[in-house]
Amino acid sequence: MATSRTNSEAVVQVDLEATVRRSSRSVLTPTRFQYSAEIATDIKKKRTTTTTRPTTHNDKKHQNSRKDIKEEDVKNSAVECTSGGHAGLSSYELERLENIKQNQAFLSSINLFQATEELKQVTRPKLSKRRLMRLQAAVEKGVPVRKSLRLQSLTLPPKPRETQICGLVSTEDIKMELSLKEYRSALKNMKTTEDREAIVVNKLLVCAAFHPCTSSLLMATGNTFGTVGLWQLGSDWGNDSVLRFEPHTRVVACIAFSRAHPTHLLSLSHDGTVRCMDVEKAVFDDVYDSEEPLKTFDFMSHDCTSLVVGYFNGKVAIVDRRTPGNSHESIHSLKFKRSLLCVSVHPLQKQYFAVAENGIVNIYDSRYLKEKKSKTVSQLHGHSLSIHGAYFSPRTGNRVLTSCMDGYIRIYDTSAMTKKAPLLTSIRHKLQTASYRTRVSAVWDPKQEDCFVVGSTSKRHIVLVFHESGKLLHSFVDRDNVTSVLSVTAFHPTRNALLGGNASGQLHVFSD
């Protein structure tokens, strides 16, 4: 589709060359953009002025093929320039290429591939009986088992839970949760300081997420101008430890790291695209393209290969990254043909997903979606205005947390998936800010089934943590460092760390 292709080709470079290519799912040969618009323009001019010949019969016969060859020549010439042949380049271009090399070296230093390799161990085949016997014998004899330095130096997130029936939670998960007393104590030990803040993106910050690795705090953000920013806390790279890319042309509305492939960062934009960044290679793949604005997405499988993508106009698309192309498997109109602001997939029973639509939250079963007016499994009533947040609780999915512009945060019981979900708790909390683009939303702590965090629009500029009962557990206050509303908040999936982002593109980190 013409619109999507134009978006891909009009990538603007900020601090690092944002390489965009067709998704690996695409049947066509991937197209990489590894050069700047300025270099490409210069090369085209040189070829136009130095190479001229009369039009032949063969040219007329193969006009489209000649155009493709020209574009390929431009790309190859640009690659030659970046690989060492710098003849003809200005001092600015040479300096820029050197900056790109330094940035790529920094990405390699993050060593995110270590987390990927370790997570692959989860799905590797079981050891043979002979190998197991040898290891057991070595242990009995007191011979230390060899471990790579890579595995010794990196603490990884817990093994992804497999699909479970009827909302049951494994014993392992229960042990990971803290008691409320222990949880409050952990929150009190989390502080922010001057070196735990950075302007990650310019202008309004819309979304943010933590990388799941525990050995370092790496965060990703998106803003209203299509910028994706990466910030690693404590890094000594560059002036501010921040990398910025522009893979989109409009608002980056939703962003998330893949839990199964930690080097993959998925971003969704109002420009109608979903893209996956390989953080190590600084390459963006096209995952999904649409001619209509997109609003939100969530993973529909534990391996993060399937997505549910929400449109502004109330439609949802089911996308499977394993199939060829960058289109959807199916697309569906839901109960209401109005703006859709949030989707959330059940953490265990992945066929269920909640959608905030037209003043009501509906829960659907993806196995029974229809092309038009799909039926709901359950409904969450009681909202009087727009709902901009509706999320299943992170471990069991037995609760749904909603944020509504009527000034209330609500918690519903979804353990039984009844036709009308019971309302458990309603908390009065101002969610509107001075800017119509900035909305405060409550989100769960992924480590704690029954606790959530939300920013405050009061003059004190605090961040609050509540229990599902409505009890306030802790207030994060720092008048010296936090001087604005932190509208975007998120807890780290495994560490005691919390991020808060403001309208200026600045992130603050509270950690122990």
Side-chain angles (χ1 to χ4, degrees), residues 464-475:
L464 308 173
V465 179
F466 288 93
H467 184 259
E468 66 171 20
S469 63
K471 181 180 180 181
L472 178 62
L473 299 179
H474 184 68
S475 299

Side-chain angles (χ1 to χ4, degrees), residues 19-21 32 34 276-279 281-285:
T19 305
V20 181
R21 65 184 182 188
R32 287 192 178 186
Q34 298 187 349
C276 177
M277 177 188 182
D278 188 318
V279 179
K281 299 177 182 178
V283 173
F284 289 83
D285 285 338

Side-chain angles (χ1 to χ4, degrees), residues 3-39:
T3 303
S4 301
R5 188 175 298 276
T6 301
N7 291 342
S8 297
E9 294 177 358
V11 177
V12 181
Q13 321 304 329
V14 185
D15 291 341
L16 182 64
E17 185 81 0
T19 305
V20 181
R21 65 184 182 188
R22 298 282 296 181
S23 169
S24 57
R25 301 188 297 120
S26 177
V27 178
L28 302 175
T29 304
T31 302
R32 287 192 178 186
F33 297 87
Q34 298 187 349
Y35 55 95
S36 67
E38 296 88 347
I39 297 177

Side-chain angles (χ1 to χ4, degrees), residues 3-130:
T3 303
S4 301
R5 188 175 298 276
T6 301
N7 291 342
S8 297
E9 294 177 358
V11 177
V12 181
Q13 321 304 329
V14 185
D15 291 341
L16 182 64
E17 185 81 0
T19 305
V20 181
R21 65 184 182 188
R22 298 282 296 181
S23 169
S24 57
R25 301 188 297 120
S26 177
V27 178
L28 302 175
T29 304
T31 302
R32 287 192 178 186
F33 297 87
Q34 298 187 349
Y35 55 95
S36 67
E38 296 88 347
I39 297 177
T41 303
D42 291 342
I43 293 172
K44 285 182 179 179
K45 287 181 179 178
K46 290 179 181 179
R47 291 187 177 276
T48 303
T49 55
T50 58
T51 305
T52 57
R53 62 180 181 84
T55 304
T56 65
H57 175 71
N58 189 54
D59 289 334
K60 295 178 180 179
K61 187 176 180 180
H62 302 288
Q63 189 172 11
N64 294 332
S65 299
R66 186 180 62 185
K67 181 179 179 181
D68 295 338
I69 293 173
K70 273 189 174 183
E71 292 178 351
E72 185 67 22
D73 288 342
V74 173
K75 182 183 70 174
N76 292 339
S77 299
V79 172
E80 290 175 4
C81 289
T82 59
S83 62
H86 302 319
L89 296 183
S90 66
S91 59
Y92 165 77
E93 291 166 342
L94 292 173
E95 181 180 357
R96 183 174 171 280
L97 291 176
E98 182 62 28
N99 289 337
I100 291 173
K101 292 180 181 179
Q102 293 178 4
N103 291 341
Q104 290 174 338
F106 166 72
L107 285 175
S108 299
S109 70
I110 296 177
N111 291 329
L112 293 183
F113 70 92
Q114 298 174 358
T116 306
E117 291 299 320
E118 179 62 16
L119 286 176
K120 287 180 181 177
Q121 300 288 338
V122 175
T123 58
R124 286 185 179 175
K126 295 182 179 179
L127 296 175
S128 64
K129 291 183 178 179
R130 181 184 237 177

Side-chain angles (χ1 to χ4, degrees), residues 421-494:
L423 175 64
L424 297 178
T425 310
S426 181
I427 304 170
R428 181 72 176 174
H429 187 79
K430 186 180 178 182
L431 299 167
Q432 293 177 319
T433 64
S435 171
Y436 75 95
R437 288 187 171 185
T438 306
R439 296 173 178 177
V440 178
S441 184
V443 292
W444 296 104
D445 183 346
K447 303 182 294 298
Q448 205 76 11
E449 169 70 12
D450 51 4
C451 300
F452 62 90
V453 62
V454 62
S456 173
T457 60
S458 67
K459 294 182 179 180
R460 296 176 61 197
H461 306 308
I462 59 178
V463 177
L464 308 173
V465 179
F466 288 93
H467 184 259
E468 66 171 20
S469 63
K471 181 180 180 181
L472 178 62
L473 299 179
H474 184 68
S475 299
F476 289 97
V477 183
D478 190 325
R479 293 183 176 86
D480 295 329
N481 297 295
V482 181
T483 58
S484 59
V485 176
L486 300 183
S487 55
V488 177
T489 54
F491 271 106
H492 193 281
T494 54

